[in-house]
Amino acid sequence: MKRFFKIYLTAALLTAFLLTGCTTSAPQEAEFFAMDTLMSVKLWGGEASASDVSAEINRLEALLSVTRETSVLSQLNAAGSAELSADTTFLLTQALALSERTDGAFDPTVYPLVEAWGFPTKEYRVPAQTELDSLLSCVGTEHVHFDGSAVTLDAGTRLDLGGIAKGYAAQCCAELLKEKGVDAAILSLGGNVQTIGSKPDGSAWVVGIADPSDPSQAIAVLTFEGSMALVTSGTYQRYFEENGVIYHHILDPQTGLPADSGLLSVTILAQDGTLADGLSTALFVMGLEEGSRFWRESNDFEAVFLTSEGKILATEGAAPFLSGCEYSVIER
Ligand code: AMP
Ligand code: MG
């Protein structure tokens, strides 16, 4: 803790930042439901419309959903082998690389565990340890045989790209909007925010980090310029309660249990949306100490941790963007 020093900012500052959100030219705005979450888009200028964004997300969901029988991923999980399209090849390559980089904290083979807990169907249950132990023998990227386009899974192994799919979708939409000449946009895909360019009135982007006890409210605010991916993984995003115990959806691939790493959420800031999404899941599993060590060894992201005790800690590069809360800085 010697490396951390405290900074205090007042709630008045939060109010001031929120008030700067008005713009000179009216953006196109839309909300829609996809990938099992409420999404929103706001965009300024260019040839694109908000429906281009929802069409792109629907296209990706049709490939990547583990609950749609017709998706490429479901067909792979059912048959145990498949030839992948360009999108799924890219995403599986990213997922396997992230798994290796995070020493398995991010693991795209957690699906048998995710299913045992009932998260895809929302028919929640607490699996017996013996059941988890037997499923864990099929979890691990050593069970995935991938030659760059054809993939084969060992018996019982199944993939879930839900830990990076929304970040990838945001990145694909950003590319599409840039191609269509959009000047500025902000996409919010259920915990994944992607900004593009700068607003016509020159005001900064202002993005809240959800308060886990009331996710409709911000516990902290990030204010910044330009294009960025900001992705939060948190216990409050998907969970169920049984006998007074909360079971959330981010699983520790070592134990098969919801990761109990002393965190309520992790927000990652990066240029790459897929990376930001994968790392938000991985650093949640790692926890504060291990996640900080991982950040010190990296140079392609920043992070804001929210601990179970209600403390907020921001890496050196994220701290200048953070306001509206009391926080400590994690130094390099
Ligand atoms: P996120 O909200 O991005 O943290 O992703 C969580 C989703 O990814 C879960 O709903 C699962 O579908 C899947 N998942 C859960 N635990 C892991 C893990 N350790 N590694 C990769 N994906 C995971
Ligand atoms: Mg993620």
Side-chain angles (χ1 to χ4, degrees), residues 66 104-111 114 119-120 160-167 190 192 231-234 237-238 249-253 259 276-278 280-282 284-285:
V66 276
F106 181 90
D107 190 329
T109 68
V110 287
Y111 193 61
V114 173
F119 285 108
D160 177 2
L161 297 176
I164 49 173
K166 291 203 277 288
N192 288 242
V231 181
T232 301
S233 285
Q237 289 167 339
R238 190 157 300 173
H249 68 134
I250 304 167
L251 303 180
D252 183 338
D277 198 356
S280 71
T281 311
F284 187 94
V285 173

Side-chain angles (χ1 to χ4, degrees), residues 310-323:
K311 292 203 174 86
I312 298 176
L313 299 102
T315 58
E316 235 169 45
F321 304 135
L322 195 61
S323 65

Side-chain angles (χ1 to χ4, degrees), residues 136-152:
L136 280 167
S137 65
C138 306
V139 172
T141 52
E142 69 276 16
H143 299 292
V144 181
H145 310 284
F146 182 47
D147 71 3
S149 64
V151 59
T152 308

Side-chain angles (χ1 to χ4, degrees), residues 9 209 220-223 304 312-314 318-325 327-328:
L9 287 173
I209 295 178
V221 171
L222 290 159
T223 307
V304 180
I312 298 176
L313 299 102
F321 304 135
L322 195 61
S323 65
C325 63
Y327 63 92
S328 305

Side-chain angles (χ1 to χ4, degrees), residues 73-115:
L73 211 57
S74 292
Q75 286 174 355
L76 166 64
N77 283 338
S81 64
E83 275 292 326
L84 298 183
S85 65
D87 286 295
T88 34
T89 294
F90 175 81
L91 210 49
L92 182 57
T93 307
Q94 296 280 305
L96 295 173
L98 263 164
S99 190
E100 191 176 343
R101 180 174 165 190
T102 61
D103 211 9
F106 181 90
D107 190 329
T109 68
V110 287
Y111 193 61
L113 300 167
V114 173
E115 204 175 33

